[in-house]
Amino acid sequence: MIVRILQLHNLQRGYGGADEVIRYERDLLSAAGHDVEQLFLPAVAEAKASMALKPSYNRAFTRQLAATIAEYRPDIVHTHTPFPLMSPAVFRTAKQRGCATVATLHAYRYSCVKGTMLRGGALCEKCIGRRLKIPAVVHKCYHDSRFASASMATGLTLHHVTGTLRRDVDRFIALTPYGREIAIRDGMPAGKVVVKPNSVPDPGDAPEPGLGDGSVVFVGRLVPEKGIHTLAQAWLRGGDELPRLVIAGDGVLRAEVADLARQRPNVEWRGWLQEDEISALVTASSAVVVTSEWAEGGSPLVMLRALALRRPVITSDVANMRDLVRTKALGVTFRAGDADSLVAATRALMGDHDRLASYSANARACYLENYSPSANLRALLSIYEDVLAGVTTAD
């Protein structure tokens, strides 16, 4: 069966994992013979009075969506991020026009206006399960603006209370079991929330299990929630006893990273790299480090790339990363936000060649089973087939 899919997405500030996943799934589906169209809105640079009602109902966009559906006639409208400008009203518009609806939970935006459940460097669940997201307004969680936070909170409350999210979304795709748990705790029907992890392209030429060149690689946005300060402090404190660190990425904390590279001869900052350059960097390394301090919506794509290339991971012990690494024996963990713990974990792994080789051997098998293109396509098409057939999973 050939499926016609309309992908919806509100672009976010700075290219991120969600943008990459959307492009990748489009290419994956198209290569398999399915028909995919995209309808995107630009990112919001700053909170403005003109966006006050849009998180609740964007009349102009719903009209555009209705026209696109009439012209394209999709079977499924797959929404990736409707916040802040599209609003969850897109689900109602799609259902009224006979389309099945799917939503991927890339972050926690349906439950937390900030999307990260991170406040002041610590996990915050004050809004989970609350119809009125008052704590988000009090703490100015969205763009550090009480006005913008109130606007986002109102949109969530409206679409929870009126039943849009329960009635007009056929399937929510959580990227991890933890993401599913949060969605259900916030009121999503358990029978409509399934787990389908992200995946990354198969590099095909993954090296044989081995030790690499002794370096550690970080790939990602240089933003606070990615644990950049912890990463910098660890290499400052560990000094020459830590391996060479190569950082690929950019963001608001670029000055801190540039300063680290100036101070430490065993740290190199490369800025943004192309996908083939990142693959080459990871292939040459001995391990990939992931220092995120928020429970990312799904396993970070760089972690999946590391597994595809048979590289162990050093990761913070937050949900969505800790359990995978520990249960599958793919690397080591450290206490999130604790630079000394990161130093100790890195030293322990890099000084144990037997463990490095063992984790390297496990990584590729885990990737092929769970995160390869074929695994992703099978899971995605199974979800599409279920929603088109009206199948709901058991609670």
Side-chain angles (χ1 to χ4, degrees):
M1 177 178 67
I2 301 301
V3 183
R4 295 171 67 84
I5 306 107
L6 176 62
Q7 294 180 331
L8 303 184
H9 182 49
N10 197 145
L11 295 167
Q12 308 299 294
R13 292 188 296 175
Y15 187 81
D19 305 291
E20 188 169 341
V21 167
I22 295 163
R23 176 184 59 79
Y24 175 57
E25 288 191 353
R26 177 202 63 196
D27 294 347
L28 202 60
L29 289 162
S30 296
H34 302 284
D35 197 338
V36 184
E37 288 287 335
Q38 297 180 321
L39 183 57
F40 291 176
L41 275 180
V44 174
E46 58 182 336
K48 297 179 180 178
S50 60
M51 67 167 278
L53 297 178
K54 289 182 178 178
S56 298
Y57 181 68
N58 185 334
R59 183 181 300 274
F61 186 80
T62 55
R63 287 175 176 170
Q64 183 182 5
L65 173 59
T68 301
I69 290 173
E71 179 180 356
Y72 177 57
R73 303 181 67 82
D75 301 305
I76 294 172
V77 173
H78 188 158
T79 303
H80 286 265
T81 305
F83 307 105
L85 297 181
M86 284 184 185
S87 95
V90 297
F91 299 117
R92 184 170 301 174
T93 299
K95 289 299 289 183
Q96 288 174 343
R97 283 152 182 81
C99 301
T101 54
V102 174
T104 295
L105 307 177
H106 289 283
Y108 306 99
R109 191 81 74 182
Y110 290 84
S111 311
C112 162
V113 303
K114 191 174 183 180
T116 61
M117 296 200 309
L118 187 70
R119 184 169 59 82
L123 177 69
C124 176
E125 297 187 357
K126 287 190 173 182
C127 287
I128 308 302
R130 300 179 62 145
R131 295 286 70 85
L132 296 176
K133 311 293 188 182
I134 294 175
V137 181
V138 172
H139 297 292
K140 301 188 291 186
C141 290
Y142 189 73
H143 286 209
D144 196 31
S145 163
R146 189 161 285 124
F147 161 76
S149 299
S151 179
M152 290 288 288
T154 299
L156 286 176
T157 296
L158 174 67
H159 291 288
H160 272 292
V161 171
T162 60
T164 302
L165 299 178
R166 294 191 308 275
R167 181 186 60 247
D168 296 324
V169 182
D170 293 316
R171 197 70 83 247
F172 292 96
I173 298 177
L175 302 178
T176 65
Y178 179 76
R180 181 176 189 270
E181 173 195 330
I182 294 298
I184 294 170
R185 283 173 52 194
D186 202 52
M188 311 304 185
K192 289 187 173 185
V193 188
V194 298
V195 176
K196 182 197 76 67
N198 287 326
S199 75
V200 294
D202 189 344
D205 56 350
E208 292 301 313
L211 304 180
D213 66 4
S215 68
V216 172
V217 170
F218 173 93
V219 179
R221 292 179 297 127
L222 307 184
V223 293
E225 60 266 28
K226 291 291 187 179
I228 301 304
H229 180 68
T230 301
L231 181 69
Q233 287 300 306
W235 257 258
L236 286 172
R237 296 178 191 182
D240 293 335
E241 295 183 14
L242 288 183
R244 183 169 67 95
L245 170 66
V246 183
I247 300 173
D250 205 346
V252 296
L253 297 183
R254 65 178 64 86
E256 182 172 351
V257 171
D259 188 53
L260 171 68
R262 283 192 294 269
Q263 293 186 61
R264 293 300 319 151
N266 61 340
V267 175
E268 181 182 357
W269 176 36
R270 296 277 189 90
W272 285 122
L273 297 178
Q274 298 300 314
E275 190 168 318
D276 58 341
E277 296 174 305
I278 292 173
S279 293
L281 195 62
V282 172
T283 299
S285 73
S286 292
V288 167
V289 61
V290 180
T291 51
S292 292
E293 294 175 10
W294 72 291
E296 302 220 19
S299 299
L301 297 183
V302 65
M303 180 183 291
L304 305 187
R305 284 198 182 97
L307 301 183
L309 291 165
R310 291 195 174 98
R311 288 297 169 253
V313 292
I314 304 165
T315 181
S316 53
D317 62 351
V318 298
N320 294 340
M321 296 180 285
R322 170 194 63 223
D323 295 340
L324 170 63
V325 169
R326 291 176 179 174
T327 59
K328 300 291 186 179
L330 303 172
V332 296
T333 63
F334 66 94
R335 289 186 299 277
D338 188 330
D340 291 330
S341 179
L342 174 54
V343 170
T346 303
R347 285 175 175 165
L349 177 62
M350 302 304 286
D352 189 334
H353 289 180
D354 289 340
R355 276 210 295 173
L356 271 173
S358 174
Y359 294 153
S360 174
N362 294 341
R364 178 72 179 174
C366 179
Y367 164 76
L368 290 174
E369 180 181 356
N370 302 286
Y371 308 111
S372 65
S374 58
N376 190 357
L377 184 62
R378 283 195 304 271
L380 188 57
L381 290 177
S382 176
I383 292 168
Y384 287 168
E385 289 168 3
D386 282 351
V387 298
L388 289 172
V391 174
T392 299
T393 60
D395 287 3

